């Protein structure tokens, strides 16, 4: 009886040992959790990737295109501690509030200004712009409806 109990107990222990074994060398890379200190500050436009490209594969090419063609155009984001945000692109200025949602930031526009006379393509108050962090939380991406995207790096 004792021998039978010992064999059963040993079988259970061995079964549990094998069940807990796994391939621990292939752990999935997890995205670091974002905190305010990770993104509060100024983010400059650094690359543009056309609709046929992809991030991060075409990032270096997009940096060159950006610096050669767009680099002198005003294009940056500013996130403040008090959930205030500003987005400047070309002759447009957007001011509002930001909200962190997972690895993306939604900027809700409260005020929109355009320096030039034509305000036909100016986003209206209440509009929401979405920005996403890359998988390392080191760059911010703004994907456009066309499939192209702007890439921003913290200053």
């Amino acid at each position: 009886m004792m021998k039978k109990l010992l064999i059963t107990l040993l079988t259970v222990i061995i079964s549990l040992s094998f069940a807990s074994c796994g391939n621990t060398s292939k752990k999935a890379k997890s995205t670091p959790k974002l905190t305010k200190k990770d993104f509060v500050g100024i983010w400059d436009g650094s690359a543009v990737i056309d609709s046929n490209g992809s991030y991060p594969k075409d990032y270096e090419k997009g940096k060159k295109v950006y610096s050669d063609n767009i680099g002198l155009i005003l294009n940056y984001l500013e996130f403040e501690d008090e959930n205030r945000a500003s987005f400047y692109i070309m002759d447009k200025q957007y001011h509002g509030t930001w909200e962190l949602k997972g690895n993306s930031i939604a900027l809700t526009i409260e005020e929109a200004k355009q320096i030039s006379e034509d305000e036909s393509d100016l986003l209206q108050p209440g509009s929401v712009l979405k920005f996403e962090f890359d998988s390392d939380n080191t760059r911010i991406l703004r994907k456009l409806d066309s499939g192209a995207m702007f890439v921003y790096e913290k200053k």
Side-chain angles (χ1 to χ4, degrees):
M1 175 76 176
M2 186 67 150
K3 187 175 178 184
K4 195 173 193 179
L5 183 61
L6 187 58
I7 291 175
T8 304
L9 187 58
L10 190 57
T11 303
V12 170
I13 291 172
I14 291 172
S15 296
L16 290 175
S17 296
F18 285 125
S20 66
C21 289
N23 189 351
T24 56
S25 64
K26 291 187 179 181
K27 288 185 180 177
K29 182 181 177 186
S30 64
T31 301
K33 183 172 169 54
L34 286 168
T35 63
K36 273 188 183 182
K37 72 175 181 69
D38 294 325
F39 63 87
V40 166
I42 295 174
W43 294 76
D44 285 329
S46 63
V48 63
I49 298 172
D50 69 24
S51 59
N52 296 322
S54 65
Y55 178 87
K57 184 181 115 198
D58 296 314
Y59 176 70
E60 290 303 320
K61 178 180 157 188
K63 270 179 82 165
K64 176 145 179 50
V65 169
Y66 189 89
S67 67
D68 290 350
N69 301 296
I70 305 172
L72 297 176
I73 296 173
L74 188 66
N75 184 13
Y76 73 92
L77 298 157
E78 183 174 7
F79 297 104
E80 300 173 19
D81 270 328
E82 300 81 31
N83 287 56
R84 304 292 305 158
S86 298
F87 177 44
Y88 301 87
I89 185 159
M90 297 176 60
D91 61 343
K92 298 171 183 63
Q93 301 174 8
Y94 299 104
H95 306 281
T97 58
W98 61 261
E99 180 182 0
L100 183 63
K101 297 178 179 182
N103 78 328
S104 65
I105 295 180
L107 188 163
T108 302
I109 298 169
E110 295 175 346
E111 179 184 9
K113 297 179 187 176
Q114 187 156 342
I115 298 168
S116 69
E117 293 178 21
D118 179 24
E119 295 187 5
S120 61
D121 61 346
L122 189 65
L123 295 172
Q124 297 303 307
S127 299
V128 177
L129 296 171
K130 185 178 176 186
F131 301 90
E132 295 179 10
F133 285 88
D134 66 1
S135 61
D136 297 327
N137 293 336
T138 56
R139 295 188 183 111
I140 294 177
L141 312 174
R142 177 163 184 252
K143 297 177 182 174
L144 307 176
D145 291 339
S146 66
M149 72 177 71
F150 283 107
V151 181
Y152 297 86
E153 293 189 45
K154 197 166 187 183
K155 207 171 187 181

